[in-house]
Amino acid sequence: MSGFRVLASLLDPVEAETPYGGRAISYQPLGSVWLRLEARRRRQTTEAGVTAATEVATAVMRTDPRLAEGRVIRFGGADWTIAAVDADPDRPGRTRVSLERSR
Protein backbone atom coordinates (compact mmCIF):
# COMPACT_ATOMS: atom_id res chain seq x y z
CA MET A 1 0.00 0.00 0.00
CA SER A 2 1.38 3.41 -0.95
CA GLY A 3 1.08 6.62 1.04
CA PHE A 4 2.20 7.80 4.42
CA ARG A 5 0.66 7.77 7.89
CA VAL A 6 -0.71 10.96 9.41
CA LEU A 7 -2.18 11.73 12.83
CA ALA A 8 -5.28 13.87 12.26
CA SER A 9 -8.05 15.48 14.29
CA LEU A 10 -11.62 14.35 13.70
CA LEU A 11 -14.11 17.22 13.99
CA ASP A 12 -17.87 17.59 13.85
CA PRO A 13 -19.01 20.86 12.20
CA VAL A 14 -21.72 22.65 14.19
CA GLU A 15 -23.67 25.30 12.32
CA ALA A 16 -25.44 28.13 14.15
CA GLU A 17 -27.30 31.23 13.12
CA THR A 18 -25.73 34.55 14.07
CA PRO A 19 -27.81 37.36 15.64
CA TYR A 20 -27.69 39.13 12.25
CA GLY A 21 -29.16 36.22 10.30
CA GLY A 22 -25.87 34.82 8.98
CA ARG A 23 -24.40 31.38 9.55
CA ALA A 24 -21.36 30.54 11.68
CA ILE A 25 -19.63 27.16 11.68
CA SER A 26 -17.61 25.95 14.64
CA TYR A 27 -15.94 22.57 15.05
CA GLN A 28 -16.44 20.19 17.97
CA PRO A 29 -13.41 17.90 18.45
CA LEU A 30 -14.22 14.18 18.47
CA GLY A 31 -10.67 12.88 18.93
CA SER A 32 -7.69 11.84 16.86
CA VAL A 33 -7.34 9.23 14.12
CA TRP A 34 -4.39 7.72 12.26
CA LEU A 35 -4.82 7.56 8.52
CA ARG A 36 -2.74 6.41 5.58
CA LEU A 37 -3.12 9.08 2.92
CA GLU A 38 -3.04 7.92 -0.67
CA ALA A 39 -2.75 9.96 -3.88
CA ARG A 40 -4.23 13.44 -4.02
CA ARG A 41 -5.67 14.86 -7.21
CA ARG A 42 -7.48 18.01 -8.31
CA ARG A 43 -10.86 18.26 -9.92
CA GLN A 44 -12.34 21.38 -11.50
CA THR A 45 -16.02 22.06 -11.89
CA THR A 46 -17.66 24.93 -13.74
CA GLU A 47 -21.08 26.04 -12.67
CA ALA A 48 -22.82 29.21 -13.89
CA GLY A 49 -19.56 30.40 -15.45
CA VAL A 50 -17.58 30.07 -12.19
CA THR A 51 -14.76 27.51 -12.02
CA ALA A 52 -14.04 25.94 -8.65
CA ALA A 53 -11.08 23.69 -7.86
CA THR A 54 -11.55 20.81 -5.44
CA GLU A 55 -8.73 18.64 -4.15
CA VAL A 56 -9.73 15.02 -3.54
CA ALA A 57 -7.86 12.25 -1.73
CA THR A 58 -8.41 8.75 -0.44
CA ALA A 59 -7.31 7.60 2.99
CA VAL A 60 -7.33 4.21 4.71
CA MET A 61 -7.79 3.93 8.46
CA ARG A 62 -9.05 1.58 11.13
CA THR A 63 -12.81 1.23 11.24
CA ASP A 64 -14.24 3.80 13.64
CA PRO A 65 -17.92 4.49 14.35
CA ARG A 66 -17.13 8.23 14.53
CA LEU A 67 -16.34 8.34 10.80
CA ALA A 68 -19.35 9.79 8.98
CA GLU A 69 -20.00 11.79 5.83
CA GLY A 70 -19.93 15.52 6.44
CA ARG A 71 -17.48 15.38 9.34
CA VAL A 72 -14.07 17.02 8.99
CA ILE A 73 -10.57 15.60 9.28
CA ARG A 74 -7.87 18.22 9.97
CA PHE A 75 -4.21 17.52 9.18
CA GLY A 76 -1.32 19.39 7.63
CA GLY A 77 -3.01 22.73 8.32
CA ALA A 78 -6.01 21.93 6.12
CA ASP A 79 -9.59 20.82 6.71
CA TRP A 80 -10.83 17.89 4.62
CA THR A 81 -14.52 17.00 4.48
CA ILE A 82 -15.44 13.30 4.53
CA ALA A 83 -17.33 12.66 1.28
CA ALA A 84 -17.74 8.86 1.59
CA VAL A 85 -16.97 6.08 4.06
CA ASP A 86 -16.64 2.51 2.74
CA ALA A 87 -15.46 -0.70 4.40
CA ASP A 88 -12.30 -2.05 2.74
CA PRO A 89 -13.33 -5.45 1.31
CA ASP A 90 -9.73 -6.69 1.16
CA ARG A 91 -8.83 -5.81 4.77
CA PRO A 92 -11.36 -6.42 7.57
CA GLY A 93 -11.25 -3.73 10.24
CA ARG A 94 -10.11 -1.08 7.73
CA THR A 95 -12.16 1.69 6.15
CA ARG A 96 -11.56 3.67 2.94
CA VAL A 97 -12.51 7.32 3.29
CA SER A 98 -12.94 9.75 0.39
CA LEU A 99 -11.89 13.28 1.35
CA GLU A 100 -12.56 16.61 -0.37
CA ARG A 101 -11.12 20.08 0.13
CA SER A 102 -12.15 23.25 -1.73
CA ARG A 103 -9.32 25.52 -2.74
Side-chain angles (χ1 to χ4, degrees):
M1 181 181 296
S2 63
F4 55 93
R5 288 182 48 134
V6 176
L7 180 62
S9 298
L10 181 61
L11 308 166
D12 192 21
V14 179
E15 192 171 317
E17 189 170 329
T18 66
Y20 303 105
R23 296 253 176 231
I25 298 176
S26 61
Y27 296 95
Q28 177 182 358
L30 299 175
S32 298
V33 292
W34 280 101
L35 58 94
R36 183 176 301 274
L37 189 63
E38 295 183 344
R40 295 184 193 184
R41 57 195 179 284
R42 288 190 190 186
R43 178 176 65 198
Q44 289 189 346
T45 56
T46 303
E47 194 171 305
V50 177
T51 301
T54 303
E55 194 170 1
V56 294
T58 303
V60 177
M61 59 187 66
R62 290 188 188 274
T63 301
D64 190 327
R66 300 174 298 170
L67 297 174
E69 292 180 17
R71 289 199 167 150
V72 173
I73 294 179
R74 181 177 289 162
F75 62 92
D79 291 346
W80 294 77
T81 302
I82 298 175
V85 179
D86 298 308
D88 190 339
D90 299 330
R91 300 181 67 200
R94 299 287 177 171
T95 301
R96 297 184 75 73
V97 179
S98 297
L99 303 171
E100 293 184 350
R101 176 173 83 127
S102 297
R103 299 200 38 115

